[in-house]
Amino acid sequence: MQKVKNFIKNELKGLFSPDEINSLTRLILEKEFSIPLADVLTCKFNHLSDAEMQRLSEIVGKLKNSEPIQYILGETDFFGLTFYLDDSVLIPRPETEELVQWIVDSVKNEPLKILDIGTGSGCIAVTLAKKLPFAEVHAWDISRDALGVARKNADKNGVHLFLAEKDILQESVSDEKFDIVVSNPPYVTEFEKGEMQENVLNFEPHLAMFVSDQNALVFYEKIADFALKNLNKGGKLFFEINREKGNQIEMLLQQRGFGNIERQKDISGNERMIKAERG
Ligand code: GLN
C-alpha cells in the first residue's frame, strides 16, 4: 500500500534521513498495525481503516514534535526481547545490550545472585533473568513508576524479579549477598546536556540521565562502596560508563581494592563499560 508509505515519507522528509524514515515506517506498520514485515516490504497489505489512518496521523504528528518512536508505540526491542515503555523510564540503548552480553559471557552455568541497581525499564535485569535461568535476579530503583514498568516487563517476558524501591545513595548494606552487581546509572553531566538532542532532552526522564558536573561520579562511588560490602568474594561489578570517565572510574575502583579491572568499548568505539572483581 504505497499510499500509506508515501504519506509517512512526505510528512517526515527533511526531519529524518531516508533510512530513518524507512525504519520508522516499518516499525509503525509492524508494531502498531500488526502488518507482517514481508507485507510491509512488498506493499502487500490491505488499506488502513479510517480509525487507523487517524492513529497514523497522530503518530506522525508526535514524531514531528521530536517524540521518540519507542514512547509513541509504548514498546521497544532489546536483546531480542520486547519491552513495554513509558516516559518514566529511559529508552534501552544498544550499548546496554553489549553490557548484558558481557555479563552473560562472564558467568558459569551455576546458581548465582544478581543485583541491577537503577533498573528503569528492567531491560538489564529481565534479559539476565531470561538468559541465565539459574540466576536469582534482584532489581532496585528509586522510582516507583519505573518499578511498575520493570514488573510489567518481567511478566511480559515470563521471568521473576525481586523488585525493591531503594535509593542507592542512601543504601549501604543489604541482608543479601550478591555474585554480580550491575548498574547503568545516570552519567550525563549538566555540561554535556548542551550537546543532547531534543528527542532525548524533552522526553526522557532527567532523573535517570543527569548528574551534576561537580559530583559526576557519585553513583559509581556509592555503588562501588555498596558492592565492596555486599558482593561475595570473587563477585563481579559491572558498570555502563560515560566514555569520558573511564580513567577516573577505574581509579575509584582500584582505590577501593577491586581487582581484575577491564574496560570495554561499545560498537561505536567509545569506552562504554567496565568490570571489576572483589578480592
Ligand atoms: N537500567 C536501565 C537501562 O539500562 C535504566 C538506566 C537508567 O535509567 N539510568 O536502560
Side-chain angles (χ1 to χ4, degrees), residues 34-260:
S34 308
I35 299 168
L37 180 60
D39 293 355
V40 173
L41 295 174
T42 53
C43 290
K44 248 203 233 143
F45 56 93
N46 292 326
H47 288 259
L48 295 183
S49 68
D50 287 351
E52 286 172 329
M53 275 312 287
Q54 202 174 334
R55 172 71 182 136
L56 180 61
S57 303
E58 195 187 313
I59 292 173
V60 165
K62 288 183 175 186
L63 285 170
K64 285 163 109 172
N65 190 32
S66 307
E67 185 164 342
I69 187 69
Q70 295 91 335
Y71 289 141
I72 300 174
L73 299 178
E75 66 175 55
T76 193
D77 288 341
F78 181 87
F79 218 101
L81 302 172
T82 300
F83 285 79
Y84 164 81
L85 281 188
D86 66 29
D87 60 9
S88 68
V89 299
L90 210 67
I91 298 169
R93 303 292 203 272
E95 302 87 279
T96 310
E97 293 178 312
E98 296 184 64
L99 176 70
V100 170
Q101 184 68 57
W102 203 19
I103 300 173
V104 170
D105 291 344
S106 74
V107 301
K108 295 193 200 79
N109 217 339
E110 55 192 36
L112 78 166
K113 245 188 209 183
I114 301 177
L115 170 64
D116 175 24
I117 298 176
T119 197
S121 62
C123 60
I124 297 176
V126 168
T127 309
L128 288 174
K130 193 85 187 170
K131 301 289 156 191
L132 308 172
F134 40 86
E136 176 181 307
V137 184
H138 296 243
W140 295 353
D141 206 286
I142 191 176
S143 155
R144 190 169 296 181
D145 290 342
L147 289 168
V149 175
R151 181 175 303 284
K152 275 194 191 174
N153 283 323
D155 293 347
K156 197 178 175 81
N157 289 291
V159 296
H160 182 73
L161 295 182
F162 294 83
L163 293 163
E165 187 178 328
K166 288 189 200 274
D167 175 1
I168 192 60
L169 300 183
Q170 307 298 332
E171 208 75 35
S172 62
V173 280
S174 159
D175 301 338
E176 316 256 6
K177 293 278 173 277
F178 300 94
D179 302 293
I180 290 184
V181 169
V182 53
S183 185
N184 175 20
Y187 62 66
V188 182
T189 61
E190 292 288 332
F191 177 74
E192 291 164 325
K193 228 183 196 176
E195 300 159 16
M196 295 189 89
Q197 290 178 333
E198 247 185 39
N199 56 351
V200 177
L201 273 182
N202 294 351
F203 292 94
E204 298 204 67
H206 288 198
L207 177 68
M209 279 188 297
F210 293 113
V211 283
S212 70
D213 297 331
Q214 299 76 26
N215 217 355
L217 299 180
V218 61
F219 287 101
Y220 294 89
E221 291 162 355
K222 292 283 180 184
I223 293 169
D225 288 341
F226 175 88
L228 211 51
K229 289 192 216 134
N230 301 284
L231 270 178
N232 287 321
K233 202 167 171 338
K236 296 185 180 84
L237 173 60
F238 288 85
F239 279 128
E240 185 169 317
I241 63 171
N242 181 322
R243 63 183 188 193
E244 303 296 334
K245 302 273 194 268
N247 286 338
Q248 291 174 54
I249 294 172
E250 177 156 351
M251 204 147 45
L252 76 82
L253 290 169
Q254 270 169 3
Q255 283 164 355
R256 284 165 175 78
F258 283 92
N260 293 334

